[in-house]
Amino acid sequence: MAANGFVAVQGAVSALDHLAGRSTALEAEWLAKTQSGDPLPRATYLMLLTQTVTDAQTDMTTLVGIEATGTGYARQPIPWSAAATGTRTSATSDLVQFGPFSDPTGLAAPVTGAALVTRMTSSAGQPSGLCLMAWNLATPITTSQNQALQLAAGSLQMTLAVS
């Protein structure tokens, strides 16, 4: 899966605040999840998108409106490897599977991208969580009935560039 990724506005703000020693929106999000009883408060999830996105479109209200839909679809927790020394790069450390999708058409629309978010669920009326990073696919992926969409270990990467 060829994809171009970029850090979302909220992800960049959180990274800068962390480096500057300020409390971050991400820390507040994780604290809220901990207080609500989430057993994995620092987990991140991948949501599939049906439109390409730009940095300006990575707010949760916009993303929930273009999230993939279909019976068998749910955001998936993403396991990340430890960042490699010197490269500041982390990659997915295990296979991630969406589906299989039981609707006759699979997912309702082709998948054109994905977003790394802090909440497993949200709705159009109550979008919650933060978008940390997004990827647009080079080629849209269509699915059919009883098909699953899989991302191989290492297929998504995050790099913090410091200059």
Side-chain angles (χ1 to χ4, degrees), residues 2 11 20-21 33 39 48 112 115 120-121 124 139-141 158 160:
K33 288 172 64 177
L48 300 179
T112 59
M120 187 171 216
T121 61
T139 305
I141 298 172
M158 294 187 292
L160 178 62

Side-chain angles (χ1 to χ4, degrees), residues 29-42 45 119:
E29 171 70 14
W30 283 332
L31 179 61
K33 288 172 64 177
T34 301
Q35 292 172 339
S36 69
D38 189 328
L40 300 172
R42 291 186 182 239
Y45 303 90
R119 295 283 175 115

Side-chain angles (χ1 to χ4, degrees), residues 34-154:
T34 301
Q35 292 172 339
S36 69
D38 189 328
L40 300 172
R42 291 186 182 239
T44 54
Y45 303 90
L46 196 66
M47 67 188 298
L48 300 179
L49 306 173
T50 59
Q51 294 178 21
T52 57
V53 294
T54 65
D55 202 24
Q57 298 167 313
T58 55
D59 63 281
M60 289 304 291
T61 301
T62 301
L63 293 178
V64 168
I66 61 171
E67 184 171 11
T69 60
T71 305
Y73 168 77
R75 295 178 192 172
Q76 296 298 310
I78 300 296
W80 292 99
S81 63
T85 304
T87 64
R88 298 174 298 279
T89 297
S90 180
T92 51
S93 61
D94 204 354
L95 173 81
V96 178
Q97 178 171 305
F98 294 88
F101 312 111
S102 59
D103 287 340
T105 58
L107 291 174
V111 174
T112 59
L116 182 67
V117 297
T118 58
R119 295 283 175 115
M120 187 171 216
T121 61
S122 59
S123 65
Q126 291 292 333
S128 60
L130 301 172
C131 173
L132 304 176
M133 191 161 184
W135 294 265
N136 288 313
L137 303 180
T139 305
I141 298 172
T142 57
T143 58
S144 57
Q145 188 174 28
N146 300 322
Q147 181 182 8
L149 193 151
Q150 296 182 335
L151 301 173

